[in-house]
Amino acid sequence: MKAHIDTITDLMLGAAYADKRLEGRETDKIRALLGKLAGSDTLPANVEARFRSFQPASFDVEQAGKQLSGLGNDRRRVLEMVAAVTESDDELDLAEDRYLRKVAEAMGLQDKQFRDLVVDFQEIDELEGILGETLGV
C-alpha cells in the first residue's frame, strides 16, 4: 500500500472535505494514519505537498478509487482509513457517508464488503418512524 500513498492521501483529504469543511481533527487523523502507512512520524515531502495542493472541487474520487481496485484485500484497509477520517469529526454526515460509498464502489468492493462502515438508511427510516410516533408527528 505504500506505493499508493499519494492516492490514499487524496482519498482521505477528499473524505475530510466531503462535508465542505476541513477540521483540525480530520487533518490530525489523516497525518496519523499516513504516518503508520509510511512507517514514520514524519510524512514524506510529497505527501506534505499534497496537503497544500489538494483541490477538493477538482478531485475525481471515482478515478482515485479505480487506481486502487487492484489492491485485493487491502482495498478494505484503505476504506477503513477513509472511514476513520469521516468519523474523526464525531458527527454523522450523510455527505461523508456518500463519499465513503463512492470510494468503496470505485475500488470495486461489493456492498456486503463495506456495509458495516456506512449508514444503514433502513435503520434511519425506522428511527424516524419511532421518533415520529413518540412525538406524535
Side-chain angles (χ1 to χ4, degrees), residues 13 23 28 30 35 40 42 51 55 63 65 71-72 92 98 100 103 106 111-112 116 120 125 129 135:
L13 286 167
E23 296 184 12
D28 293 344
I30 294 169
S40 172
T42 306
F51 272 85
Q55 297 293 319
Q63 181 62 32
L71 287 179
L92 173 64
R98 283 190 294 273
L100 191 59
V103 172
D111 182 63
K112 66 182 178 184
D116 60 314
D120 182 344
D125 291 341
L135 298 175

Side-chain angles (χ1 to χ4, degrees), residues 6-124:
D6 289 344
T7 304
I8 293 169
T9 300
D10 289 347
L11 285 171
M12 288 195 289
L13 286 167
Y17 281 103
D19 61 358
K20 307 293 186 230
R21 62 188 185 280
L22 177 66
E23 296 184 12
R25 288 178 285 181
E26 292 169 321
T27 303
D28 293 344
K29 183 57 128 180
I30 294 169
R31 287 182 183 284
L33 291 167
L34 290 173
K36 286 181 184 177
L37 180 60
S40 172
D41 292 335
T42 306
L43 295 179
N46 62 311
V47 174
E48 286 292 348
R50 291 187 101 72
F51 272 85
R52 292 186 299 279
S53 66
F54 186 77
Q55 297 293 319
S58 61
F59 176 59
D60 186 343
V61 64
E62 286 88 5
Q63 181 62 32
K66 287 178 185 175
Q67 290 177 12
L68 303 179
S69 64
L71 287 179
N73 291 334
D74 282 339
R75 295 175 301 166
R76 168 67 189 211
R77 289 183 49 214
V78 170
L79 193 62
E80 288 170 351
M81 293 169 67
V82 174
V85 173
T86 65
E87 294 168 358
S88 65
D89 60 8
D90 295 328
E91 61 184 46
L92 173 64
D93 189 302
L94 295 181
E96 292 176 340
D97 186 74
R98 283 190 294 273
Y99 178 86
L100 191 59
R101 288 174 187 274
K102 279 185 187 179
V103 172
E105 291 167 2
M107 288 193 300
L109 292 171
Q110 300 300 313
D111 182 63
K112 66 182 178 184
Q113 294 174 289
F114 66 89
R115 186 178 308 140
D116 60 314
L117 298 175
V118 294
V119 175
D120 182 344
F121 287 103
Q122 183 176 349
E123 286 180 16
I124 290 176

